[in-house]
Amino acid sequence: MAAIHFDSNGLQNFVADNELDEIKDQVRFAHQTLVNKTGAGADFTDWFHWASSQDQASLAPIHQAADAIRKNSKVLVVIGIGGSYLGSRMAIDFLKSPWHNELVQGDEVKVYFAGNAMSPMALDELDRVIGDQDFSVNVISKSGTTTEPAVAFRFFKQRLVAKYGEEGAKERIVATTDAKKGALKNEATAEGYQTLVIPDGIGGRFSVLSAVGLLPMAVAGINIENVLAGAAEAEKTYSSDNVHENPVLAYAAYRRILYDKGYTTEILANWEPSLQYLSEWWKQLMGESEGKNQKGIYPSSANYSTDLHSLGQYIQEGRRDLFETVVRIDHSKHDLPIPKTGDNEDGLLYLEGKSLEEVNKTAATGVVLAHVDGGVPNLAVHLDRQDEAGLGELIYFFELAVGVSGYLFNINPFNQPGVEAYKTAMFALLDKPGYEEQSKVYHDRLK
Ligand SMILES: O=P(O)(O)OC[C@H]1O[C@H](O)[C@H](O)[C@@H](O)[C@@H]1O
């Protein structure tokens, strides 16, 4: 049964009843383009049937690697950037806790993330956090050539060798990368690191349900079969090509309708701190997929209540080009009664007898009304429970939505040519071999 309920009631003041119908044929065509693999980037749509095609045998290497890490380590350092870390970070926050590393008990393994920044301070701090705990490294890079994780890997390799010796270090490294190419693959082969494969037909930002996301999840104690089952079920649930029957298509359609009316920024909002990285993952998925040819919805995020006290003013009264998609958890994992004191010194007597979940949900409902009144169209993705299958479904929901949405924008949703521009400038300024011509141009510009 679907764990997601999509709610578009918050569009009443903004979208007329007939508008969904008017766009339905375009959406059907975009969906068929994706399903039939006839569109741009079709070689990178294997995520579509990925979860439903996994079985015990395909997951065995992931479990073996996870078991070995759990046996010999207290800490796993996941080195990766973009799609090579956001998915597992999202999953650990969502399914365990943002405080997972503080809450581990017994044999549970802490998971830290590195290689997503070039800050020496951050690296040094993580080094100190690990201290003398036994640790392993999962270095993840689809291309195998990304600078940020490669630099971090050098540091952690050195640390592993210092602690465990050359051979011992090798036993504590798992490289998740391309099956054949890239510097990381070559190094793994030369050094004899254990490798897990990132499938050819799945791009980085769609790779959370491959070994990229599944190994760190398994190490953190997440039931990866259940996550995959949720996504596999979603493939069936969201298979219709009719906007009136398929909520994913309705979501893609409404986003496009809103964009055409000038609502060009989408805020993915949540009411649970454990969903913050869902938004971070979603921002890469949406931004890299849609932001092309001077088109696309700008993906932004807000964490409530926190951001009501920082971004809230802008959302309520700033430039009217925003719409909001709120991810709401219908049944919280934990609830707490508001403590009873029987007095009203703090002005909270009226909350006694209520639970914190009730208050959180009521606040969420109130904020929708206020934002709609302020001119912010509102969509809601309700998730019944914050569990493994629910996360799998949510992942599939957004991946499918952006695939369809990309074709609605008539762009290739599966490439990311724009990301190269910063790399060219950085490599040129760092005098990387092969960039000699650009080096001169970029150095001259700084004179
Ligand atoms: O996994 P890697 O090849 O190291 O790539 C990590 C990230 O690099 C770039 O930013 C790409 O645009 C992303 O799509 C990718 O997720």
Side-chain angles (χ1 to χ4, degrees):
M1 218 186 74
I4 290 176
H5 164 67
F6 176 66
D7 177 3
S8 57
N9 284 326
L11 294 186
Q12 273 168 9
N13 300 349
F14 308 93
V15 178
D17 285 346
N18 58 321
E19 290 187 66
L20 189 60
D21 230 36
E22 282 168 12
I23 200 176
K24 77 171 190 303
D25 290 338
Q26 260 172 278
V27 176
R28 172 173 289 132
F29 182 71
H31 182 248
Q32 284 170 354
T33 304
L34 179 68
V35 174
N36 299 330
K37 289 180 171 275
T38 50
D43 286 351
F44 287 94
T45 54
D46 286 359
W47 52 270
F48 195 91
H49 300 296
W50 180 256
S52 58
S53 68
Q54 296 308 290
D55 56 21
Q56 259 186 331
S58 59
L59 298 178
I62 295 172
H63 281 302
Q64 275 158 17
D67 289 348
I69 293 166
R70 287 164 73 92
K71 222 171 260 159
N72 68 12
S73 297
K74 285 276 161 216
V75 168
L76 174 68
V77 180
V78 176
I79 300 178
I81 196 166
S84 288
Y85 95 103
L86 286 167
S88 58
R89 179 128 202 210
M90 152 178 78
I92 292 170
D93 274 21
F94 188 98
L95 295 170
K96 303 297 283 189
S97 163
W99 302 98
H100 170 72
N101 293 336
E102 286 74 14
L103 292 172
V104 289
Q105 287 181 333
D107 290 345
E108 290 179 327
V109 178
K110 298 173 194 162
V111 181
Y112 293 105
F113 294 88
N116 53 65
M118 254 159 349
S119 154
M121 216 166 78
L123 206 63
D124 176 62
E125 284 162 3
L126 178 55
D127 191 51
R128 286 188 281 142
V129 166
I130 297 169
D132 60 7
Q133 300 176 89
D134 280 316
F135 75 104
S136 294
V137 167
N138 179 203
V139 54
I140 310 176
S141 178
K142 180 162 166 71
S143 62
T145 56
T146 309
T147 313
E148 290 84 348
V151 169
F153 186 39
R154 271 207 179 195
F155 280 97
F156 284 101
K157 256 185 312 197
Q158 201 175 43
R159 202 179 189 286
L160 279 171
V161 171
K163 191 171 165 80
Y164 301 104
E166 290 278 350
E167 287 313 305
K170 286 178 191 172
E171 284 163 22
R172 288 172 176 273
I173 294 171
V174 180
T176 307
T177 189
D178 189 88
K180 297 187 205 81
K181 57 178 195 306
L184 181 57
K185 172 65 189 169
N186 297 341
E187 180 182 343
T189 309
E191 300 292 330
Y193 307 147
Q194 186 185 346
T195 54
L196 294 172
V197 172
I198 307 180
D200 281 348
I202 299 183
R205 60 186 173 277
F206 290 85
S207 69
V208 50
L209 299 180
S210 75
V212 170
L214 295 182
L215 177 62
M217 284 190 225
V219 170
I222 291 169
N223 183 321
I224 58 175
E225 280 79 5
N226 288 350
V227 179
L228 287 165
E233 188 62 29
E235 187 187 327
K236 290 189 219 146
T237 308
Y238 303 114
S239 59
S240 164
D241 64 4
N242 182 336
V243 284
H244 297 292
E245 288 166 9
N246 186 341
V248 175
L249 299 193
Y251 173 55
Y254 282 130
R255 292 175 82 250
R256 183 57 209 249
I257 291 168
L258 291 167
Y259 177 83
D260 288 341
K261 291 176 189 284
Y263 298 102
T264 54
T265 294
E266 178 176 12
I267 302 171
L268 194 78
N270 66 70
W271 286 84
E272 290 292 341
S274 55
L275 268 60
Q276 184 181 343
Y277 266 85
L278 170 74
S279 298
E280 298 304 322
W281 169 83
W282 174 91
K283 284 193 280 192
Q284 187 203 3
L285 181 72
M286 295 307 204
E288 274 196 352
S289 300
E290 276 184 359
K292 283 155 209 171
N293 300 355
Q294 283 82 50
K295 290 190 273 194
I297 294 168
Y298 182 75
S300 154
S301 63
N303 305 303
Y304 296 151
S305 295
T306 312
D307 286 329
L308 290 173
H309 298 262
S310 71
L311 296 172
Q313 171 62 37
Y314 191 103
I315 296 172
Q316 193 66 41
E317 295 184 345
R319 192 181 158 105
R320 300 299 70 187
D321 56 3
L322 310 170
F323 69 99
E324 203 169 18
T325 299
V326 189
V327 180
R328 295 183 66 166
I329 306 295
D330 287 343
H331 299 94
S332 170
K333 277 197 268 190
H334 304 285
D335 196 7
L336 295 168
I338 301 286
K340 287 194 174 154
T341 63
D343 66 44
N344 200 27
E345 264 182 11
D346 55 5
L348 297 184
L349 192 62
Y350 74 103
L351 292 180
E352 285 193 10
K354 294 189 165 63
S355 78
L356 195 51
E357 183 182 4
E358 210 180 323
V359 176
N360 198 28
K361 279 188 178 157
T362 309
T365 305
V367 167
V368 172
L369 298 178
H371 286 180
V372 165
D373 289 348
V376 181
N378 188 280
L379 293 166
V381 175
H382 286 259
L383 188 67
D384 187 37
R385 283 178 200 284
Q386 202 172 327
D387 62 9
E388 279 110 347
L391 179 64
E393 183 174 335
L394 208 50
I395 288 168
Y396 197 85
F397 187 98
F398 286 125
E399 289 184 346
L400 180 59
V402 82
V404 172
S405 178
Y407 288 137
L408 276 179
F409 276 114
N410 206 17
I411 49 98
N412 176 351
F414 304 112
N415 65 1
Q416 55 285 331
V419 182
E420 295 310 310
Y422 103 86
K423 293 185 187 169
T424 306
M426 176 176 79
F427 292 149
L429 290 171
L430 287 169
D431 300 315
K432 183 173 176 171
Y435 287 78
E436 290 74 10
E437 252 174 59
Q438 292 104 317
S439 285
K440 200 181 152 353
V441 175
Y442 278 96
H443 282 301
D444 281 351
R445 281 174 65 182
L446 295 184
K447 274 182 191 157

